[in-house]
mmCIF file of all heavy atoms in Angstrom:
data_model
loop_
_atom_site.group_PDB
_atom_site.id
_atom_site.type_symbol
_atom_site.label_atom_id
_atom_site.label_comp_id
_atom_site.label_asym_id
_atom_site.label_seq_id
_atom_site.Cartn_x
_atom_site.Cartn_y
_atom_site.Cartn_z
ATOM 1 N N LYS N 604 122.392 70.433 93.668
ATOM 2 C CA LYS N 604 123.934 70.527 93.427
ATOM 3 C C LYS N 604 124.226 69.576 92.220
ATOM 4 O O LYS N 604 123.538 68.606 91.994
ATOM 5 C CB LYS N 604 124.565 69.840 94.676
ATOM 6 C CG LYS N 604 126.092 70.280 94.691
ATOM 7 C CD LYS N 604 126.743 70.084 96.002
ATOM 8 C CE LYS N 604 126.339 71.260 96.985
ATOM 9 N NZ LYS N 604 126.548 71.001 98.398
ATOM 10 N N GLY N 605 124.998 70.126 91.336
ATOM 11 C CA GLY N 605 125.286 69.348 90.144
ATOM 12 C C GLY N 605 124.415 69.805 88.940
ATOM 13 O O GLY N 605 124.754 69.420 87.810
ATOM 14 N N VAL N 606 123.286 70.494 89.203
ATOM 15 C CA VAL N 606 122.545 71.040 88.075
ATOM 16 C C VAL N 606 123.347 72.077 87.482
ATOM 17 O O VAL N 606 123.663 73.018 88.136
ATOM 18 C CB VAL N 606 121.259 71.430 88.500
ATOM 19 C CG1 VAL N 606 120.460 72.124 87.303
ATOM 20 C CG2 VAL N 606 120.351 70.409 89.148
ATOM 21 N N LYS N 607 123.631 71.953 86.146
ATOM 22 C CA LYS N 607 124.452 72.933 85.452
ATOM 23 C C LYS N 607 123.602 74.185 85.361
ATOM 24 O O LYS N 607 122.442 74.197 85.007
ATOM 25 C CB LYS N 607 124.879 72.500 84.086
ATOM 26 C CG LYS N 607 126.069 71.691 84.111
ATOM 27 C CD LYS N 607 126.590 71.383 82.700
ATOM 28 C CE LYS N 607 125.970 70.214 82.108
ATOM 29 N NZ LYS N 607 125.346 70.023 80.910
ATOM 30 N N ASN N 608 124.183 75.304 85.579
ATOM 31 C CA ASN N 608 123.457 76.585 85.531
ATOM 32 C C ASN N 608 123.648 77.148 84.150
ATOM 33 O O ASN N 608 122.646 77.748 83.698
ATOM 34 C CB ASN N 608 123.861 77.576 86.623
ATOM 35 C CG ASN N 608 122.803 78.455 87.053
ATOM 36 O OD1 ASN N 608 121.818 78.649 86.301
ATOM 37 N ND2 ASN N 608 122.904 79.168 88.146
ATOM 38 N N GLU N 609 124.736 77.105 83.582
ATOM 39 C CA GLU N 609 124.958 77.701 82.290
ATOM 40 C C GLU N 609 124.465 79.097 82.369
ATOM 41 O O GLU N 609 123.886 79.610 81.303
ATOM 42 C CB GLU N 609 124.229 76.883 81.201
ATOM 43 C CG GLU N 609 124.770 75.466 80.943
ATOM 44 C CD GLU N 609 123.604 74.577 80.455
ATOM 45 O OE1 GLU N 609 122.523 75.051 80.342
ATOM 46 O OE2 GLU N 609 123.991 73.422 80.079
ATOM 47 N N GLN N 610 124.609 79.733 83.425
ATOM 48 C CA GLN N 610 124.253 81.260 83.457
ATOM 49 C C GLN N 610 122.753 81.428 83.197
ATOM 50 O O GLN N 610 122.347 82.415 82.882
ATOM 51 C CB GLN N 610 125.042 82.052 82.578
ATOM 52 C CG GLN N 610 125.919 83.144 83.145
ATOM 53 C CD GLN N 610 126.906 82.565 84.033
ATOM 54 O OE1 GLN N 610 127.602 81.508 83.846
ATOM 55 N NE2 GLN N 610 127.001 83.215 85.185
ATOM 56 N N SER N 611 121.961 80.402 83.288
ATOM 57 C CA SER N 611 120.560 80.477 82.953
ATOM 58 C C SER N 611 119.856 81.457 83.842
ATOM 59 O O SER N 611 119.996 81.325 85.119
ATOM 60 C CB SER N 611 119.848 79.087 82.952
ATOM 61 O OG SER N 611 118.586 79.223 82.764
ATOM 62 N N PRO N 612 119.023 82.194 83.357
ATOM 63 C CA PRO N 612 118.280 83.193 84.204
ATOM 64 C C PRO N 612 117.140 82.438 84.976
ATOM 65 O O PRO N 612 116.596 82.999 85.853
ATOM 66 C CB PRO N 612 117.630 84.258 83.263
ATOM 67 C CG PRO N 612 117.577 83.560 81.947
ATOM 68 C CD PRO N 612 118.783 82.592 81.913
ATOM 69 N N ASN N 613 116.895 81.235 84.519
ATOM 70 C CA ASN N 613 115.789 80.443 85.072
ATOM 71 C C ASN N 613 116.045 79.006 84.871
ATOM 72 O O ASN N 613 115.927 78.485 83.761
ATOM 73 C CB ASN N 613 114.403 80.878 84.460
ATOM 74 C CG ASN N 613 113.254 80.030 84.943
ATOM 75 O OD1 ASN N 613 113.391 79.237 85.802
ATOM 76 N ND2 ASN N 613 112.049 80.400 84.450
ATOM 77 N N THR N 614 116.455 78.320 85.914
ATOM 78 C CA THR N 614 116.847 76.804 85.832
ATOM 79 C C THR N 614 115.549 76.220 86.425
ATOM 80 O O THR N 614 115.031 76.321 87.585
ATOM 81 C CB THR N 614 117.810 76.532 86.865
ATOM 82 O OG1 THR N 614 118.943 77.358 86.558
ATOM 83 C CG2 THR N 614 118.320 75.119 86.728
ATOM 84 N N VAL N 615 114.894 75.291 85.456
ATOM 85 C CA VAL N 615 113.645 74.678 85.830
ATOM 86 C C VAL N 615 113.925 73.167 86.340
ATOM 87 O O VAL N 615 114.592 72.360 85.652
ATOM 88 C CB VAL N 615 112.752 74.625 84.556
ATOM 89 C CG1 VAL N 615 111.447 73.924 84.999
ATOM 90 C CG2 VAL N 615 112.450 76.033 84.078
ATOM 91 N N LEU N 616 113.282 72.937 87.534
ATOM 92 C CA LEU N 616 113.284 71.574 88.088
ATOM 93 C C LEU N 616 111.794 71.107 88.035
ATOM 94 O O LEU N 616 110.947 71.899 88.054
ATOM 95 C CB LEU N 616 113.750 71.657 89.538
ATOM 96 C CG LEU N 616 114.984 72.391 89.847
ATOM 97 C CD1 LEU N 616 115.279 72.254 91.421
ATOM 98 C CD2 LEU N 616 116.234 71.838 89.069
ATOM 99 N N VAL N 617 111.712 69.836 87.829
ATOM 100 C CA VAL N 617 110.412 69.181 87.613
ATOM 101 C C VAL N 617 110.218 68.290 88.887
ATOM 102 O O VAL N 617 110.996 67.435 89.069
ATOM 103 C CB VAL N 617 110.328 68.393 86.309
ATOM 104 C CG1 VAL N 617 108.912 67.907 86.123
ATOM 105 C CG2 VAL N 617 110.756 69.139 85.128
ATOM 106 N N VAL N 618 109.045 68.434 89.478
ATOM 107 C CA VAL N 618 108.629 67.434 90.527
ATOM 108 C C VAL N 618 107.465 66.660 90.027
ATOM 109 O O VAL N 618 106.438 67.206 89.663
ATOM 110 C CB VAL N 618 108.190 68.239 91.811
ATOM 111 C CG1 VAL N 618 107.793 67.201 92.937
ATOM 112 C CG2 VAL N 618 109.292 69.176 92.261
ATOM 113 N N GLU N 619 107.642 65.324 89.915
ATOM 114 C CA GLU N 619 106.572 64.468 89.484
ATOM 115 C C GLU N 619 105.969 63.825 90.921
ATOM 116 O O GLU N 619 106.743 63.361 91.697
ATOM 117 C CB GLU N 619 107.039 63.306 88.524
ATOM 118 C CG GLU N 619 107.407 63.965 87.271
ATOM 119 C CD GLU N 619 107.562 62.876 86.197
ATOM 120 O OE1 GLU N 619 107.319 61.651 86.332
ATOM 121 O OE2 GLU N 619 107.992 63.213 85.041
ATOM 122 N N TYR N 620 104.667 63.942 90.856
ATOM 123 C CA TYR N 620 104.012 63.528 92.130
ATOM 124 C C TYR N 620 102.677 62.670 91.747
ATOM 125 O O TYR N 620 102.294 62.747 90.722
ATOM 126 C CB TYR N 620 103.687 64.676 93.038
ATOM 127 C CG TYR N 620 102.639 65.597 92.437
ATOM 128 C CD1 TYR N 620 101.283 65.512 92.603
ATOM 129 C CD2 TYR N 620 103.082 66.720 91.637
ATOM 130 C CE1 TYR N 620 100.399 66.376 92.095
ATOM 131 C CE2 TYR N 620 102.285 67.640 91.148
ATOM 132 C CZ TYR N 620 100.808 67.564 91.241
ATOM 133 O OH TYR N 620 99.970 68.321 90.734
ATOM 134 N N SER N 621 102.240 61.942 92.722
ATOM 135 C CA SER N 621 101.086 61.198 92.568
ATOM 136 C C SER N 621 99.812 62.000 93.251
ATOM 137 O O SER N 621 100.017 62.829 94.083
ATOM 138 C CB SER N 621 101.156 59.776 93.061
ATOM 139 O OG SER N 621 101.464 59.867 94.557
ATOM 140 N N GLY N 622 98.645 61.539 92.900
ATOM 141 C CA GLY N 622 97.473 62.175 93.492
ATOM 142 C C GLY N 622 97.062 63.341 92.708
ATOM 143 O O GLY N 622 97.673 63.765 91.754
ATOM 144 N N THR N 623 95.880 63.966 93.096
ATOM 145 C CA THR N 623 95.402 64.997 92.369
ATOM 146 C C THR N 623 95.981 66.288 92.766
ATOM 147 O O THR N 623 96.606 66.429 93.852
ATOM 148 C CB THR N 623 93.830 65.259 92.664
ATOM 149 O OG1 THR N 623 93.633 65.179 94.062
ATOM 150 C CG2 THR N 623 93.006 64.034 91.994
#
Side-chain angles (χ1 to χ4, degrees):
K604 197 161 280 162
V606 174
K607 273 189 277 133
N608 205 344
E609 294 153 353
Q610 242 58 46
S611 177
N613 178 359
T614 305
V615 181
L616 310 181
V617 188
V618 181
E619 290 194 6
Y620 63 90
S621 58
T623 51

